[in-house]
Amino acid sequence: MSQQDWLPPAVRASGVERRLKAGQALFRMGQSPVGLYELVSGSVRLVRVDSSGREAVLFTAGAGDTIAEASLFSSSYHCDAIATTNSVVRLYSKPAIIAAFERDPKASQAFMAVLARRIMNLRTRLEQRNIHSARDRVRHFLTVNAGADGRTVVLPGTVKDLAADLGLSHEALYRTLSEMAAEGEIERLKGRIRLTS
Amino acid sequence: MSQQDWLPPAVRASGVERRLKAGQALFRMGQSPVGLYELVSGSVRLVRVDSSGREAVLFTAGAGDTIAEASLFSSSYHCDAIATTNSVVRLYSKPAIIAAFERDPKASQAFMAVLARRIMNLRTRLEQRNIHSARDRVRHFLTVNAGADGRTVVLPGTVKDLAADLGLSHEALYRTLSEMAAEGEIERLKGRIRLTS
DNA sequence: TGAGGCCTATGATCCAGATCATAGGCAAAA
DNA sequence: TTTTGCCTATGATCTGGATCATAGGCCTCA
């Protein structure tokens, strides 16, 4: 389900790969954007650190996702991008992409659709953060992210990572998952969670 | 600071106005999108209602804002749009806009910039929701939304509306504002809040 | 193979915000 | 003018998640 099929072949060919080790930053807030990144493999988090030192996870990119689309139109990055695992990214230069948009309306529209989808995802996350109960928030996450069978969710990373994603303390999440499993609402498998319907 | 200057004149001229009374819905989740709305005057909220009946405010549009940009690329609205005050919107049809994109790369790019800005705003909101302390959340809101002087924020609606925007109960917000005013951190004026620096 | 580090897990405590309740003020409607 | 409804405001109570603490398990690296 790679989402960057909209890239014209010429641009795709111009991509430059870069490797990141776990914990390494792809870019930092305030730096000026060089282009669009595509995550080839691994996992990268967009993170903003607030005044109290707390980390807000804005987005967790998986293989195939693009990173920093919004920064194409901005003079600086507005958050940090940190690899959570060893990762490989491909960089497409800003001018090359803009030129492609000038030339190819289809590419433009496909990119707009990518942006639109991102907006919808963000709104879903915002909705999720409005849910106060930890259990309901987990339920929301599970239903929104269920796979093809409608009841299995593959965890992209550790449970602790998920906790940060959900905006819960990891303790609260561990407890909630334990309780839900004990009550038979979910089934915990290796790296997956299944809703027992 | 109307943000829809990117619309080519031909499309702009084709806009159809519609009036909404306070509380009236512009569209509902699940309906199929007819086009892009521009808010001429008033105030419209994008809202999603979760299973427990709680309302999540995803976006509060003011005069000049566009609504449902993301739905241009989707087969159905993913949230409700409710006018909070008497409002006037202008509707631009989907085909007209798509045609403009085909024809005019500049319009496409300008629209992408609008989408990109929306993404950044949403991320800022997400960051805000990650702040647990009510007071810090208010502080964050005030600094992010400060006007030209860097310390005055014009409240778009009632304090209660703001509470919903911030994801706080209105009681908590009333209390927090009272305390901050009592301690001299802010100054409360009619429809405005000023940070006393 | 030993040590360190991190994830997982769970217990105990605390506190801030949600919720419930009450009341004054203001504005629109009747 | 009176009524109604909602915003504003604040008090009292409660609860659920944050935080602190502890410990086992697993993987990696030396």
Side-chain angles (χ1 to χ4, degrees), chain B residues 90-168:
Chain B
R90 199 193 301 268
L91 171 65
Y92 303 106
S93 85
K94 201 163 161 172
I97 291 189
I98 298 293
F101 289 157
E102 292 281 354
R103 188 179 338 114
D104 182 357
K106 283 279 167 277
S108 290
Q109 280 180 53
F111 186 63
M112 286 182 205
V114 169
L115 294 177
R117 192 167 337 153
R118 178 108 331 146
I119 288 175
M120 290 190 264
N121 285 342
L122 279 165
R123 287 190 174 149
T124 298
R125 277 175 73 79
L126 210 48
E127 179 193 16
Q128 177 192 80
R129 293 308 243 275
N130 227 49
I131 302 173
H132 293 281
S133 147
R135 184 174 293 211
D136 285 344
R137 201 179 283 190
V138 170
R139 288 199 187 108
H140 181 267
F141 166 79
L142 292 175
T143 52
V144 167
N145 295 77
D149 65 352
R151 60 199 196 91
T152 305
V153 177
V154 177
L155 298 187
T158 66
V159 175
K160 206 182 169 193
D161 287 339
L162 178 61
D165 250 60
L166 295 180
L168 294 170

Side-chain angles (χ1 to χ4, degrees), chain B residues 20-155:
Chain B
L20 296 167
K21 277 184 288 194
Q24 196 178 347
L26 178 56
F27 54 76
R28 292 282 184 181
M29 180 159 27
Q31 293 176 354
S32 64
V34 279
L36 185 73
Y37 291 100
E38 173 194 343
L39 184 53
V40 178
S41 68
S43 173
V44 171
R45 267 189 188 172
L46 295 189
V47 163
R48 227 182 270 183
V49 181
D50 65 29
S51 49
S52 71
R54 181 184 292 277
E55 267 197 355
V57 177
L58 301 178
F59 178 60
T60 305
D65 283 327
T66 51
I67 303 170
E69 326 84 356
S71 293
L72 272 183
F73 303 94
S74 171
S75 61
S76 70
Y77 292 116
H78 51 293
C79 53
D80 296 346
I82 316 282
T84 51
T85 63
N86 292 344
S87 304
V88 178
V89 296
R90 199 193 301 268
L91 171 65
Y92 303 106
S93 85
K94 201 163 161 172
I97 291 189
I98 298 293
F101 289 157
E102 292 281 354
R103 188 179 338 114
D104 182 357
K106 283 279 167 277
S108 290
Q109 280 180 53
F111 186 63
M112 286 182 205
V114 169
L115 294 177
R117 192 167 337 153
R118 178 108 331 146
I119 288 175
M120 290 190 264
N121 285 342
L122 279 165
R123 287 190 174 149
T124 298
R125 277 175 73 79
L126 210 48
E127 179 193 16
Q128 177 192 80
R129 293 308 243 275
N130 227 49
I131 302 173
H132 293 281
S133 147
R135 184 174 293 211
D136 285 344
R137 201 179 283 190
V138 170
R139 288 199 187 108
H140 181 267
F141 166 79
L142 292 175
T143 52
V144 167
N145 295 77
D149 65 352
R151 60 199 196 91
T152 305
V153 177
V154 177
L155 298 187

Side-chain angles (χ1 to χ4, degrees), chain A residues 168-189:
Chain A
L168 294 170
S169 65
H170 58 274
E171 296 97 325
L173 181 57
Y174 285 132
R175 264 187 267 268
T176 304
L177 290 177
S178 293
E179 286 163 16
M180 290 174 79
E183 293 171 23
E185 184 172 350
I186 59 170
E187 204 178 339
R188 301 192 60 181
L189 312 164

